[in-house]
Amino acid sequence: MASESRERKMVITILLTSTLLTMLGIAGVLRGAYDLSLAPLPEDVRELYTPDVEVTEAEIQLLEAQVTNPYRRPMAAANVVVSALVLIGSFMLSWRRRLAQWWIKQAVVAKLIWIVAYTASLISHIKLSFVPLTIEQPGATLQEVMAGVVLVSTLSAALHLAAAYRATRPDIREFIETTAKP
């Protein structure tokens, strides 16, 4: 009875961890595909927003910096690849394959490297393209915009690390090895 309960907990843990990895992988693939297909911005970026949404000048500059980043397309292609690796790892974990933990470690390390590279390239481009706002214009300063980019990247990295930590725990490895199909 106790063994059944432990087995059930492990299956639920594996499925929840796999689901998180699947969501992270799909989000990365979709974001990368979107960035690859992103059309040039219209002359007035405010046209992209509905009339009832108030947009600050800093938000517009951040959007322009993201779209005009010269490394956008190569980084988007790399995002599709490393996110697909995370997605494959999540499937391997669901199927309880022996290589799942190794695969997830490698995929998450690749994704973390991508997050750092993307953040560095975007911040570098923001520094080059950010126009200081006048006092009359409300909005964020350059430091606040960069802090927001770093915060989002840090949250993404933390989610990937948490999922990888959970997926590569020794109790999950033991469960996979005892129940894996040859």
Side-chain angles (χ1 to χ4, degrees):
M1 198 79 167
S3 146
E4 239 178 75
S5 174
R6 182 182 179 282
E7 183 174 321
R8 181 183 160 122
K9 283 183 181 179
M10 293 307 299
V11 168
I12 290 171
T13 300
I14 286 173
L15 289 176
L16 289 175
T17 305
S18 178
T19 301
L20 175 60
L21 287 166
T22 301
M23 290 188 306
L24 291 171
I26 289 172
V29 168
L30 290 177
R31 176 63 191 208
Y34 174 76
D35 283 346
L36 278 172
S37 67
L38 198 58
L41 290 176
E43 196 64 36
D44 184 14
V45 178
R46 294 180 200 282
E47 294 173 6
L48 297 174
Y49 297 95
T50 58
D52 59 326
V53 175
E54 191 170 319
V55 185
T56 66
E57 193 63 34
E59 291 172 328
I60 290 173
Q61 286 190 39
L62 178 59
L63 178 62
E64 288 175 343
Q66 287 174 329
V67 173
T68 61
N69 185 355
Y71 300 108
R72 176 180 58 96
R73 293 183 67 79
M75 292 303 291
N79 191 16
V80 169
V81 171
V82 296
S83 296
L85 295 176
V86 172
L87 198 55
I88 292 168
S90 75
F91 294 152
M92 291 177 75
L93 184 62
S94 293
W95 298 328
R96 294 185 231 161
R97 299 293 182 231
R98 292 178 195 258
L99 282 177
Q101 291 186 319
W102 177 86
W103 190 277
I104 290 169
K105 284 180 191 176
Q106 307 311 311
V108 169
V109 167
K111 183 67 177 192
L112 292 175
I113 291 169
W114 179 88
I115 289 170
V116 169
Y118 176 77
T119 304
S121 73
L122 183 58
I123 284 182
S124 172
H125 187 65
I126 289 171
K127 284 182 180 178
L128 294 174
S129 65
F130 195 84
V131 178
L133 302 174
T134 62
I135 296 195
E136 296 85 32
Q137 293 175 321
T141 64
L142 175 63
Q143 288 77 21
E144 290 170 341
V145 170
M146 290 190 311
V149 170
V150 169
L151 177 67
V152 169
S153 295
T154 303
L155 290 174
S156 177
L159 275 173
H160 283 83
L161 281 172
Y165 169 75
R166 189 65 186 146
T168 58
R169 288 183 36 175
D171 57 341
I172 291 187
R173 177 183 306 120
E174 178 186 321
F175 180 73
I176 289 173
E177 287 175 358
T178 59
T179 62
K181 299 168 188 119

